[in-house]
Structures are given as structure tokens and as C-alpha cells.
Amino acid sequence: MLPMHAFNNRAVFAILVVLLVGLPTVGLAKDADYRLAIIKQGFQPQALSIPAGKRVKVLVHNKLVRPAEFESYDFTVEKVVPGGTTVPVYIGPLKKGRYKFFNDFAQNMQGKLRVR
């Protein structure tokens, strides 16, 4: 039979392991990945839909040689995307609605974010 102090330490250790292993699934939602490309003609897709009330990760891939800047005044983001690279942009949580974004280095290149 194990001494009482050994049982308590093992029980405490087991509880801590269960809590730490279960932590990522309890209350912490994994970021959803969305994809957006910057091409010569503009953003692809031009309109991106994301869920309301959730933080999402948008992978912005710049297919151009020159850098672009993914920017929005509506949901406050500003991220330079060097040519030929992909960068993660975290958005939200946002309320339902429509938001605009653009390439600050070519402001005629615009897109829409639909939050549902």
C-alpha cells in the first residue's frame, strides 16, 4: 500500500495532467483559416464571408511581385504582404455587417468582408 502523501501527490499530478491536456479544448476555440489572394485584377475572392462574434485567421497570399498592404479602416487592420508571400491576418471578433478592405499600395484594389 502506498503512503498517504504519495497518493495525494499522484492524485494531484493526475488532475493537473488532465487539466493541462484538456485545456486547449475547453473554452479556447482554434482560429478558423480563411484564404484571400492578391492578384493583378484585385482580391480573390472579392468578397469574403466570416462568422460574427469569432476571431478568424485570414491567410493573405500576395501573388504579385511587388508588395501589397492589406488594410481596412472598418475593422482596423494594416498588414504589409511582400510579393510572393503569405501572411496571416487576424480579424475580429466583429458584429454582423459589411466591411471594406483595400490594398493601400493600390487603393483602387478593394474588397468586402461579409460578417454573418
Side-chain angles (χ1 to χ4, degrees):
M1 183 163 226
L2 294 172
M4 189 56 123
H5 72 281
F7 177 78
N8 287 338
N9 287 341
R10 285 185 181 176
V12 169
F13 178 76
I15 291 169
L16 287 173
V17 168
V18 168
L19 289 174
L20 291 174
V21 169
L23 187 62
T25 60
V26 178
L28 296 175
K30 184 178 179 191
D31 294 326
D33 287 355
Y34 294 84
R35 297 184 186 279
L36 186 66
I38 300 171
I39 60 174
K40 186 177 180 181
Q41 296 79 11
F43 290 100
Q44 184 181 27
Q46 189 175 6
L48 185 65
S49 294
I50 66 169
K54 299 205 185 263
R55 179 178 185 234
V56 299
K57 178 170 66 173
V58 178
L59 297 173
V60 180
H61 178 65
N62 183 358
K63 294 185 176 185
L64 304 175
V65 175
R66 64 185 180 279
E69 184 172 12
F70 180 78
E71 186 164 353
S72 176
Y73 299 135
D74 293 349
F75 53 90
T76 315
V77 70
E78 183 177 13
K79 189 81 166 194
V80 172
V81 186
T85 66
T86 301
V87 298
V89 177
Y90 294 90
I91 299 173
L94 297 172
K95 294 180 181 179
K96 290 182 180 182
R98 293 177 184 255
Y99 302 83
K100 295 178 184 177
F101 57 85
F102 59 96
N103 176 358
D104 196 29
F105 296 160
Q107 292 189 5
N108 60 330
M109 190 182 294
Q110 299 181 8
K112 295 178 184 129
L113 182 68
R114 293 183 189 129
V115 181
R116 299 176 181 199

